[in-house]
Amino acid sequence: NPAGFYRGGYAEPRRWALLTISTLNKVLALILIILCLPLFFIIGVTVKIIMGGPIFYRGTRLGLHKKHFFMYKFRTLPIGSQSLLGADLVSEKRIPLSPFVRLLRDTRLDELPQLFNILFGDMDFVGPRPLRPEVYESIVGTIPHIDLCFTVRPGLIGFSQLFTPHN
């Protein structure tokens, strides 16, 4: 194989392609943030009224080349839930969810603040979803070639989010 190619035929993108993609992502994210400001306000006020405490959740994720970054979401779980969950995924059996929280999670509106992550350059619109470090550590030996996910920026939308239900 020529340098830069993987077994599946993937080649490292050229510098101009990365610059174009980054610019397009940032411009589109800024436009969407401006258009969604009323939705940010409505969801934020509702989260504050129903759940109290902070409106946003800021969680550590692994990004490009496994670099840590903070991913933002509307808070849908009680404070301290991440330490309770560890490497597990959220399930109604472990943490009961209110109808409002279920609506936010099922429609993925809780992920709107990740537009800021795209604007900051931590994420792209399309790519593998970012993993929590503890989740990565628990699955690293069980999924072949998982480290290939870290050769690109994580995305707001991934293949599994398009074709599988949220839970």
Side-chain angles (χ1 to χ4, degrees):
N1 285 343
F5 281 84
Y6 294 105
R7 188 178 287 169
Y10 168 78
E12 292 290 326
R14 303 264 191 250
R15 179 171 277 169
W16 64 266
L18 289 174
L19 182 62
T20 303
I21 291 168
S22 292
T23 303
L24 179 66
N25 278 323
K26 289 178 181 187
V27 168
L28 186 56
L30 184 60
I31 291 168
L32 288 173
I33 289 169
I34 292 168
L35 291 175
C36 292
L37 278 176
L39 199 52
F40 272 92
F41 179 75
I42 292 167
I43 293 171
V45 167
T46 308
V47 166
K48 188 70 169 176
I49 290 170
I50 291 177
M51 302 187 73
I55 294 169
F56 297 104
Y57 162 79
R58 184 180 86 157
T60 304
R61 297 293 188 269
L62 297 175
L64 180 64
H65 306 300
K66 297 182 192 168
K67 180 183 164 205
H68 287 80
F69 72 96
F70 289 116
M71 185 182 77
Y72 299 97
K73 298 174 83 167
F74 283 112
R75 192 168 62 85
T76 58
L77 299 176
I79 296 170
S81 295
Q82 185 165 334
S83 61
L84 173 71
L85 291 171
D88 296 335
L89 299 176
V90 174
S91 75
E92 290 246 19
K93 293 177 185 173
R94 298 205 50 200
I95 300 174
L97 303 177
S98 71
F100 171 71
V101 166
R102 223 176 290 120
L103 173 71
L104 281 182
R105 293 175 69 83
D106 288 346
T107 59
R108 294 190 170 89
L109 287 173
D110 63 324
E111 297 181 1
L112 269 179
Q114 290 170 36
L115 291 171
F116 288 100
N117 288 112
I118 295 170
L119 191 63
F120 300 152
D122 295 324
M123 294 173 65
D124 283 338
F125 274 98
V126 179
R129 289 295 292 159
L131 294 173
R132 289 185 284 144
E134 55 272 14
V135 172
Y136 171 75
E137 291 300 323
S138 73
I139 64 173
V140 68
T142 62
I143 300 176
H145 310 294
I146 184 104
D147 288 335
L148 284 177
C149 291
F150 301 106
T151 61
V152 296
R153 278 192 204 103
L156 176 66
I157 301 166
F159 182 80
S160 63
Q161 284 70 38
L162 290 174
F163 298 107
T164 59
H166 189 35
N167 56 4

